[in-house]
Amino acid sequence: MPRVVWKGAIAFGLVNVPVALYPASTANRLDLDLLDRRDFAPVGYQRINKRTGEVVASEDIVKGYEYEKDQYVVVTDEDFREANVKATQTVDILSFVAQEDIAPYYFDTPYYLEPGRRGEKGYALLRETLRRSGRVGLASVVIRSRQHLAAVIPVGAVLLMNTLRFADEIRSMAELKLPDDDLKALGVSGRELDMAERLVEGMVEDWAPEQYRDTYRDDLMARIEQKIESGKTHVVAEAEAPPAAEGGAEVVDLMALLKRSLEGRAAKPAARKASEATDEAVDEAKPARARRTVAGKSVASGASAKKTASSGSRSKAAGARSSSEKSRDKEPAEKPSESRRRRA
């Protein structure tokens, strides 16, 4: 279980539910060190005093606010806590909204809320109320000296708190060049739209997140392992050149692409059915072949027997010719002197 971020309470109305906040996600990033390419020694991170150029120990580093040029006020951990005690210890629910009203780009980082001692009843009450109403709690919370907007969402048995980005953190879409809703003006036909919808329906499946993984990281680790096994532990790999970009805009035939996509989706079930039918035919044929086997010998019948006999006689004749040729090859050649005496 990950370490507790903080302990506090969920406050909605006059109800306070003691909770502990846990991280609900982890970043599976590849941990790479910086190296000196001359001797492959690790390159460390040093904090340098910009005035003296000397290295500063971590215990001598404090946080400060520059209120004027080169004039600072030191801000301590105690200042962060005492600035607003309630804000740093409370998930303060401000209102309740429909989850679908929150655009996806607002969601940031998920956390689990676990009920504290004697908080089970209030926790279950809030969870069930949110579940029945179809709403999420919109809350304010301070995590690690920063205030966040957050959504408290019932997910199964847990209350999930997902921090949200503030509106001023979302960049405007006004400068993006986006197609409008006039599909006819864009050249999108009704048939193309129908085929696209059929393609989507054919690819619908239940959400199973465990079947997806970071395959790029796996491939990169496999490449690293390959380098280790081959002894290339001190070689800096050169990146492959990206493919050259083709000039000019390509006119894409959407209808052809959609048709090929649908045919490809339909071919998979058909191939599976054909494979299953072949397997069934093989299984049904097995007993018939077994009945034609007597005392460990296969008994041919009908045309197959004639073919077998005919092929057998041909192979015998071929074998006889082969034997006579081999015997002639084995006879010794005449000596030159005996050949001259017969001619005389």
Side-chain angles (χ1 to χ4, degrees), residues 47 55-61:
R47 290 171 174 163
V55 177
V56 182
S58 58
E59 60 268 19
D60 292 329
I61 296 175

Side-chain angles (χ1 to χ4, degrees), residues 21 23 44 75 84 104 113 119 131 138 167-168 184 199 286 297 305 319:
L21 189 70
V75 182
N84 189 330
L113 290 167
R131 186 181 293 161
L138 203 59
D168 59 1
K184 288 185 178 180
L199 178 59
K286 283 180 181 178
K297 297 181 180 179

Side-chain angles (χ1 to χ4, degrees), residues 277-295:
T278 302
D279 293 340
E280 290 176 1
V282 170
D283 292 339
E284 290 176 359
K286 283 180 181 178
R289 287 198 298 270
R291 285 194 296 271
R292 291 199 298 268
T293 303
V294 179

Side-chain angles (χ1 to χ4, degrees), residues 87 177 212 223 285 324 341:
K177 297 178 180 179
Y212 303 100
R223 184 175 174 85
S324 61
R341 281 200 298 271

Side-chain angles (χ1 to χ4, degrees), residues 94-105:
L94 310 173
S95 62
F96 296 93
V97 300
Q99 185 174 346
E100 58 268 21
D101 289 346
I102 305 174
Y105 44 74

Side-chain angles (χ1 to χ4, degrees), residues 23-246:
S25 62
T26 180
N28 291 323
R29 297 187 180 94
L30 201 59
D31 189 14
L32 300 176
D33 295 327
L34 296 179
L35 306 175
D36 187 331
R37 67 183 303 165
R38 296 168 297 179
D39 61 357
F40 297 97
V43 176
Y45 294 90
Q46 290 184 333
R47 290 171 174 163
I48 306 297
N49 185 312
K50 294 182 179 180
R51 183 175 59 83
T52 65
E54 297 178 352
V55 177
V56 182
S58 58
E59 60 268 19
D60 292 329
I61 296 175
V62 295
K63 295 176 181 177
Y65 174 76
E66 187 179 24
Y67 63 96
E68 288 183 9
K69 179 65 175 176
D70 296 331
Q71 299 294 316
Y72 295 90
V73 172
V74 173
V75 182
T76 66
D77 292 340
E78 187 67 18
D79 292 326
F80 286 115
R81 286 191 296 268
E82 294 299 326
N84 189 330
V85 176
K86 181 181 178 182
T88 58
Q89 296 180 355
T90 308
V91 179
D92 190 14
I93 295 181
L94 310 173
S95 62
F96 296 93
V97 300
Q99 185 174 346
E100 58 268 21
D101 289 346
I102 305 174
Y105 44 74
Y106 281 104
F107 288 92
D108 192 1
T109 306
Y111 293 89
Y112 292 136
L113 290 167
E114 180 188 61
R117 187 179 179 185
R118 293 190 297 275
E120 292 85 356
K121 182 178 179 179
Y123 187 96
L125 174 64
L126 176 60
R127 181 188 64 198
E128 192 62 27
T129 303
L130 292 175
R131 186 181 293 161
R132 292 190 180 193
S133 65
R135 297 286 189 268
V136 300
L138 203 59
S140 175
V141 61
V142 174
I143 304 173
R144 298 190 180 98
S145 75
R146 185 189 171 196
Q147 188 175 36
H148 298 268
L149 190 64
V152 178
I153 308 167
V155 181
V158 72
L159 283 175
L160 178 77
M161 188 189 78
N162 210 122
T163 57
L164 304 173
R165 296 179 179 90
F166 287 103
D168 59 1
E169 294 178 302
I170 304 299
R171 293 182 176 178
S172 173
M173 304 178 190
E175 296 180 2
L176 300 178
K177 297 178 180 179
L178 305 173
D180 56 29
D181 293 334
D182 189 352
L183 298 182
K184 288 185 178 180
L186 294 169
V188 179
S189 68
R191 189 180 174 195
E192 287 173 332
L193 189 59
D194 179 63
M195 292 184 72
E197 290 176 351
R198 284 168 53 198
L199 178 59
V200 170
E201 288 300 320
M203 297 176 67
V204 169
E205 59 183 29
D206 293 333
W207 167 236
E210 63 278 358
Q211 69 177 320
Y212 303 100
R213 56 181 293 117
D214 185 354
T215 56
Y216 177 77
R217 182 179 184 276
D218 294 341
D219 294 339
L220 184 57
M221 282 304 304
R223 184 175 174 85
I224 291 172
E225 292 293 337
Q226 187 179 16
K227 283 180 172 290
I228 294 172
E229 292 176 1
S230 61
K232 295 181 180 179
T233 53
H234 286 174
V235 175
V236 178
E238 295 182 359
E240 295 182 2
E246 297 181 0

